[in-house]
Amino acid sequence: MRKRVVITGMGTVNSIGNNLSDFWAGIKAGKSGVGPITHFDPVNHVTKIAAEVKGFKASEFMELKEARKMEPFCHFAVASALEAYRDSGLTPETMDPDRIGVVLGVGMGGFETLENAFSILLEKGPTRVPPLTVPKVISNIAPGNIAILLNVQGPSCVVTTACASGTDAIGNSLRLIQDDVCDVMIAGGSEALITPLGMAGFNVLHALSTKRNDDPTKASRPFDADRDGFVMGEGAGILILESLEHALARGAKIYAEVLGSAASTDAYHMTAPHQEGLGASKAIKWALKAAGITPEDIDYINAHGTSTEINDAVETKAIKAAFGAHAYKLKVSSTKSMTGHCIGAAGAIEAIICAKALEEQFFPPTINLENPDPNCDLDYVPNKGYNAVMRHAISNSLGFGGHNSILVLKRYER
């Protein structure tokens, strides 16, 4: 039998809070992390708002000389990993370095460094490009730095499947423990794309919200008829996954159990999802099968819910196709209404929300749902969360390239 896998530690940096406690308090309160862009001057950009990380100082988590060698996405990942590790209660004495690994989801990597280095290349020539350009840009440097910091000597890699990256990273980590390759995995995602090129690139795809620059907290409005695009977010989410056997042996606290995961590919379009949500519904069905439960067992879905016209309608179709009549008994919410869309980190941050929701029996809200779209007719927990019985939850992540990744969690029971 495959090993049972549980979550024993979590850490996050995002627009709502720079630690797990502040973040969860913000989610429960329905707090928006969206505001005017301050990372650069967006005067020439159509979109002038984003869900930025606020008040974060990398030097509080690492020596300044080390921080200077890293990109913001790496800062966020290291800080979140340190919090998750400390939260888990792991110590060098309770872990075998050969039996712990790191898998992170990163959609794009070091855009800030890439943009700056390219400007220097054009203005001053190739010999003036900073020597740390490549190490700061490459995505796998984030798990590499975490491994150095925490003496992780097992598998270490990056998953890049656009907006499904964080969820795929957790799913891959789950299987490494289930297959007895590792006892502990540091899993999650990180992203920092609030840069001139990052924002411009998504704007020319007509993916970002452009109508609420003067009212930023109302801009991310999944499933609302007045939605006009997603809001760029940034940050990281890291979870400590551990075999139940290993966790119990050291007396660890347990947030939730990870039952299964699955992924599918639309094979349809580079950026648009299949119009009937066939790939997403297939991945949901496969994830439920991997978890060994039925559709009727699910109480809550943390939706991909980007606040784009196409995604929200298609995801609603996918949920209906996967759950049938039970879709109307589910609670579905998009917490991107608060965090914005953190691309490669989104699925990991949302997995943390699912784990806390199961632990505290709390259904998180979809804020800004003021004018429901008739094509989105499920229970999206509008505007205010509440406490009720929750046994099982799933987290949906749907990415460019047709990547669909689904994670199934359960309230922990011995």
Side-chain angles (χ1 to χ4, degrees):
M1 292 181 64
R2 283 186 161 186
K3 294 192 172 187
R4 291 175 66 185
V5 178
V6 293
I7 299 167
T8 58
M10 299 190 290
T12 186
V13 172
N14 59 70
S15 62
I16 295 178
N18 293 341
N19 57 66
L20 179 63
S21 177
D22 290 348
F23 169 59
W24 181 240
I27 291 293
K28 292 183 74 174
K31 176 183 177 181
S32 172
V34 184
I37 291 173
T38 64
H39 291 351
F40 66 93
D41 184 354
V43 63
N44 294 321
H45 287 251
V46 179
T47 296
K48 305 179 190 301
I49 58 173
E52 294 181 335
V53 169
K54 306 164 187 70
F56 175 82
K57 295 181 181 179
S59 58
E60 294 179 357
F61 300 91
M62 64 198 81
E63 292 186 10
L64 187 58
K65 66 177 182 180
E66 294 301 317
R68 287 172 176 161
K69 301 175 185 177
M70 301 181 197
E71 255 267 344
F73 84 94
C74 197
H75 294 155
F76 299 155
V78 168
S80 298
L82 278 172
E83 182 186 14
Y85 179 79
R86 291 164 182 161
D87 183 45
S88 73
L90 283 166
T91 64
E93 294 72 33
T94 59
M95 53 184 253
D96 177 350
D98 292 345
R99 298 275 299 177
I100 180 170
V102 188
V103 182
L104 294 191
V106 181
M108 305 291 280
F111 251 42
E112 181 178 297
T113 292
L114 186 63
E115 292 175 41
N116 292 338
F118 190 63
S119 294
I120 292 171
L121 172 67
L122 295 179
E123 294 172 8
K124 299 181 180 180
T127 62
R128 300 296 298 276
V129 171
L132 287 176
T133 296
V134 171
K136 290 175 74 173
V137 167
I138 54 177
S139 302
N140 68 297
I141 208 69
N145 277 302
I146 291 170
I148 292 168
L149 188 67
L150 298 177
N151 192 30
V152 174
Q153 298 181 31
S156 173
C157 67
V158 154
V159 176
T160 300
T161 48
C163 311
S165 300
T167 302
D168 277 332
I170 297 169
N172 290 357
S173 297
L174 167 68
R175 287 181 281 277
L176 283 169
I177 298 174
Q178 287 178 329
D179 292 342
D180 200 27
V181 176
C182 292
D183 299 316
V184 179
M185 290 297 299
I186 301 168
S190 188
E191 203 78 87
L193 284 178
I194 305 174
T195 68
L197 181 58
M199 295 297 293
F202 280 101
N203 258 140
V204 296
L205 288 174
H206 304 290
L208 297 181
S209 174
T210 61
K211 295 181 179 178
R212 293 180 175 83
N213 288 324
D214 296 329
D215 194 9
T217 63
K218 296 289 187 178
S220 185
R221 44 197 318 112
F223 308 110
D224 190 89
D226 298 324
R227 65 190 184 275
D228 75 311
F230 78 81
V231 175
M232 184 72 79
E234 64 180 354
I238 302 292
L239 302 89
I240 303 297
L241 271 55
E242 194 168 350
S243 73
L244 178 61
E245 177 186 14
H246 192 273
L248 292 177
R250 65 181 188 85
K253 74 172 183 294
I254 294 172
Y255 286 105
E257 183 170 359
V258 186
L259 290 186
S261 72
S264 71
T265 308
D266 285 353
Y268 173 76
H269 190 274
M270 284 196 304
T271 57
H274 189 283
Q275 295 301 293
E276 298 302 317
L278 297 184
S281 64
K282 190 185 301 182
I284 292 171
K285 292 174 183 177
W286 290 350
L288 293 174
K289 182 179 179 180
I293 60 176
T294 69
E296 291 71 27
D297 290 320
I298 298 297
D299 302 298
Y300 170 65
I301 298 176
N302 189 292
H304 188 57
T306 58
S307 188
T308 62
E309 181 179 357
I310 294 176
N311 175 89
D312 297 0
V314 167
E315 187 172 11
T316 297
K317 289 181 180 180
I319 292 169
K320 292 178 183 178
F323 288 93
H326 186 63
Y328 290 94
K329 299 178 183 179
L330 291 164
K331 309 300 179 187
V332 181
S333 68
S334 173
T335 48
K336 288 184 179 72
S337 58
M338 295 174 271
T339 65
H341 189 356
C342 299
I343 314 297
I349 292 170
E350 288 151 16
I352 289 173
I353 292 171
C354 286
K356 287 295 293 182
L358 286 160
E359 181 195 30
E360 296 195 8
Q361 298 288 280
F362 179 80
F363 288 86
T366 303
I367 68 169
N368 299 325
L369 185 46
E370 298 165 345
N371 183 19
D373 182 344
N375 294 315
C376 300
D377 59 348
L378 302 178
D379 182 349
Y380 303 108
V381 194
N383 302 308
K384 187 176 178 61
Y386 57 87
N387 290 97
V389 175
M390 186 189 303
R391 302 159 299 163
H392 298 89
I394 70 173
S395 182
N396 292 351
S397 294
L398 319 175
F400 278 6
H403 300 287
N404 309 294
S405 186
I406 311 297
L407 192 67
V408 183
L409 284 77
K410 178 186 177 183
R411 185 181 186 185
Y412 172 66
E413 298 171 349
R414 181 71 178 268

